[in-house]
């Protein structure tokens, strides 16, 4: 494979929407998502009212890359070899002795050496994006509450209530019906939760289109919510930018399922109308599959193997499936690159911008968690950070395995020429090659670290 990646070499440029093209004000959106679940659990399912009160310190628990064992209520952070680096029971971090007794340097029971192992199962749940993270804090606090109420309860069965909360707040009809807490609040005050796309990004999208590329928008959000977001961040003429818009894509199934399992549907007034045997022309569709989409892209480009790149923020829903099933190029939007500087939270924001992160609500979720440490590298708990005890995290390994490049935001590359040559992750054994504009400093400082 070529050492470098360039947008100019691609025929088709695709984007996820939430946390990719549309950036959220994380301290505000995190509180809203948390409340949408907590209110449901307390009011509809009888959970402890304490869940409704969150302190600023509580948000430090949120860290991407954690797995929740749904049976025992433990959260774990995995090394790239499947061993457990840190763990908590609910929000209570395990001491080194307890960690050694519980996990003892062995592969986690659900780990598979192929890093493509499922991120969702009946046994565990991985938290890999900013819609998920507030749920991690809520689930940890649910475990705390149940453990306290039931004198050290060992097994848990609250997940079905979390799923009911998702259904209540985020089902397909929730936006139209003003159901739950989340959608009514976003509609009421989008500016509180969403960042508009800077002019540089809009100009860049037009530049890609003018260069003859096909532009795709593929999101698991429903069409009504997608429209609200796009009109707010891009303007009322946003549909002029995209040749094909696919909503309710139900990723990762969009990439992994066969066409017969997941056909495209036509839409009218945001309602799905009829299933299509194939995709014959550009337009706005619901659900669908990557196989039929690729057949249309062949027609539109006149090429037997058009080259597609897809931008997304979720390793589980966007990056892994687009690379693994469709062999697309992938650009990971990794906000942790904005906040990881020598292992310290970013302090370079100008004062007028800082205001939005202050107050009692939440810290920026992309900064370092004191409880969980670096997203990229960590030591085995209790081994005093000795150099030979450092490991790449499982999350870090997946980035270099499945992403072409990783960037902090689309804005970070919007002013580069389309033929700019990015170094790929696969261009060498370096774990830092594909990060743009800079690798996380903790990785640069441990460049010689060997995977164990």
């Amino acid at each position: 494979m070529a050492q470098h990646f360039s947008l100019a070499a691609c025929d088709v440029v695709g984007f996820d929407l939430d946390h990719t093209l549309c950036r959220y004000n994380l301290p505000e959106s995190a509180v809203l998502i948390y409340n949408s679940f907590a209110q449901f659990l307390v009011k509809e399912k009888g959970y402890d009212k304490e869940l409704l009160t969150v302190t600023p310190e509580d948000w430090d628990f949120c860290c991407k890359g954690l797995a929740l064992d749904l049976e025992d209520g433990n959260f774990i952070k995995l090394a790239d070899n499947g061993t457990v680096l840190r763990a908590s029971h609910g929000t209570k971090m395990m001491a080194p002795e307890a960690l050694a007794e519980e996990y003892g340097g062995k592969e986690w029971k659900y780990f598979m050496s192929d890093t493509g192992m499922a991120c969702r199962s009946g046994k565990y749940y991985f938290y890999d994006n900013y819609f998920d993270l507030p749920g991690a804090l809520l689930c940890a606090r649910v475990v705390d509450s149940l453990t306290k109420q039931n004198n050290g309860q060992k097994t848990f069965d609250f997940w079905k209530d979390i799923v009911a909360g998702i259904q209540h707040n985020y089902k397909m009809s929730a936006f139209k019906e003003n159901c739950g807490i989340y959608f009514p609040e976003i509609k009421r005050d989008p500016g509180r939760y969403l960042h508009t796309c800077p002019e540089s990004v809009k100009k860049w999208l037009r530049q890609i289109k003018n260069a003859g590329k096909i532009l795709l928008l593929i999101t698991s959000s429903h069409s009504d919510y997608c429209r609200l977001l796009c009109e707010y961040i891009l303007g009322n003429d946003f549909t002029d930018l995209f040749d094909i818009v696919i909503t309710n894509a139900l990723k990762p199934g969009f990439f992994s399922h066969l066409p017969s399992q997941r056909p495209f549907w036509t839409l009218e007034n945001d309602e799905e109308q009829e299933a299509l045997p194939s995709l014959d022309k550009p337009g706005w569709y619901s659900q669908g599959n990557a196989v039929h989409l690729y057949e249309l892209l062949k027609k539109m480009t006149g090429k037997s193997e058009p080259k597609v790149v897809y931008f997304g923020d979720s390793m589980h829903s966007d990056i892994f499936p687009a690379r693994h099933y469709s062999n697309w190029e992938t650009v990971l939007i990794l906000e942790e690159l904005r906040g990881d500087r020598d292992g310290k939270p970013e302090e370079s924001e100008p004062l007028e911008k800082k205001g939005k992160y202050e107050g009692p609500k939440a810290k920026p979720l992309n900064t370092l968690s004191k409880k969980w440490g670096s997203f990229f590298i960590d030591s085995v708990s209790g081994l005093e950070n000795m150099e030979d005890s450092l490991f790449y995290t499982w999350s870090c390994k997946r980035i270099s395995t499945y992403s072409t490049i990783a960037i902090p935001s689309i804005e970070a590359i919007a002013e580069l020429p389309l033929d700019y040559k990015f170094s790929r992750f696969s261009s060498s054994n370096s774990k830092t090659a594909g990060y743009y504009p800079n690798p996380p400093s903790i990785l640069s400082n441990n460049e010689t670290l060997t995977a164990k």
Side-chain angles (χ1 to χ4, degrees), residues 307-319:
K307 189 171 179 180
V308 185
V309 59
Y310 187 62
F311 288 71
D313 70 296
S314 169
M315 181 58 66
H316 165 68
S317 300
D318 302 317
I319 302 303

Side-chain angles (χ1 to χ4, degrees), residues 228-371:
L228 177 141
L229 294 184
C230 288
E231 286 179 354
Y232 184 80
I233 66 166
L234 292 167
N236 293 342
D237 59 350
F238 76 91
T239 50
D240 296 345
L241 288 169
F242 301 102
D243 298 279
I244 301 168
V245 175
I246 300 163
T247 49
N248 195 26
L250 303 168
K251 296 175 291 182
F254 180 84
F255 296 101
S256 62
H257 285 175
L258 298 170
S260 58
Q261 296 172 292
R262 189 67 65 74
F264 281 95
W265 288 74
T266 59
L267 277 168
E268 196 175 308
N269 299 324
D270 298 317
E271 299 285 345
E272 291 178 351
Q273 299 297 309
E274 60 173 318
L276 301 173
S278 63
L279 203 57
D280 299 322
K281 61 184 181 186
W284 189 319
Y285 301 96
S286 187
Q287 298 196 46
N289 62 86
V291 174
H292 279 167
L293 173 62
Y294 198 65
E295 289 303 313
L296 175 60
L297 296 175
K298 288 181 192 178
K299 268 195 236 174
M300 291 173 71
T301 58
K303 296 184 176 183
S304 59
E305 291 187 1
K307 189 171 179 180
V308 185
V309 59
Y310 187 62
F311 288 71
D313 70 296
S314 169
M315 181 58 66
H316 165 68
S317 300
D318 302 317
I319 302 303
F320 168 72
R323 169 62 58 85
H324 182 74
Y325 297 107
S326 298
N327 201 30
W328 291 359
E329 301 278 15
T330 53
V331 179
L332 176 65
I333 304 295
L334 189 64
E335 287 218 18
E336 283 67 20
L337 294 177
R338 300 167 67 86
D340 188 292
R341 296 286 176 274
D342 295 317
K344 299 187 191 76
E346 198 172 57
E347 291 291 356
S348 57
E349 286 275 348
L351 280 174
E352 65 272 18
K353 281 195 174 178
K354 268 191 176 176
K356 66 177 183 282
Y357 293 138
E358 289 172 349
K361 295 219 162 166
K363 65 166 194 168
L365 299 190
N366 54 16
T367 55
L368 189 76
S369 161
K370 294 186 183 76
K371 282 193 169 180

Side-chain angles (χ1 to χ4, degrees), residues 105-133:
K106 303 188 296 289
E107 252 188 26
W108 183 47
K109 59 188 173 184
Y110 299 122
F111 185 77
M112 286 177 270
S113 56
D114 169 24
T115 54
M117 74 178 185
C119 281
R120 308 284 186 265
S121 103
K123 309 282 188 189
Y124 59 84
Y125 189 93
F126 271 99
Y127 292 90
D128 93 323
N129 65 69
Y130 289 118
F131 269 153
D132 277 352
L133 274 193

Side-chain angles (χ1 to χ4, degrees), residues 188-263:
R188 188 187 70 78
D189 191 3
R192 182 174 177 179
Y193 303 101
L194 310 173
H195 294 303
T196 55
C197 277
E199 201 50 51
S200 61
V201 170
K202 297 181 198 175
K203 188 176 166 189
W204 178 75
L205 291 169
R206 288 192 289 269
Q207 186 188 356
I208 293 171
K209 187 134 176 146
N210 292 340
K213 314 294 181 194
I214 292 169
L215 260 67
L216 311 175
L217 184 62
I218 308 173
T219 173
S220 292
S221 287
H222 301 307
S223 55
D224 43 16
Y225 185 53
C226 170
R227 187 175 289 103
L228 177 141
L229 294 184
C230 288
E231 286 179 354
Y232 184 80
I233 66 166
L234 292 167
N236 293 342
D237 59 350
F238 76 91
T239 50
D240 296 345
L241 288 169
F242 301 102
D243 298 279
I244 301 168
V245 175
I246 300 163
T247 49
N248 195 26
L250 303 168
K251 296 175 291 182
F254 180 84
F255 296 101
S256 62
H257 285 175
L258 298 170
S260 58
Q261 296 172 292
R262 189 67 65 74

Side-chain angles (χ1 to χ4, degrees), residues 167-180 183 187 222 224 270-271:
Q167 177 61 15
H168 174 69
N169 280 287
Y170 301 98
K171 62 186 176 185
M172 197 168 180
S173 59
F175 185 95
K176 187 176 282 186
E177 294 169 2
N178 259 346
C179 184
F183 290 128
K187 284 189 210 177
H222 301 307
D224 43 16
D270 298 317
E271 299 285 345

Side-chain angles (χ1 to χ4, degrees), residues 380-392:
V380 177
S381 181
L383 293 186
E384 297 304 319
N385 285 342
M386 290 169 64
E387 199 164 306
D388 61 359
S389 75
L390 283 174
F391 290 81
Y392 290 113

Side-chain angles (χ1 to χ4, degrees), residues 17-18 35 59 77 104 124 127 211 214 234 253 380 386 400 408 441:
L17 179 56
D18 297 284
N35 285 338
W59 292 102
K77 180 183 182 183
Y124 59 84
Y127 292 90
I214 292 169
L234 292 167
V380 177
M386 290 169 64
S400 57
S441 49

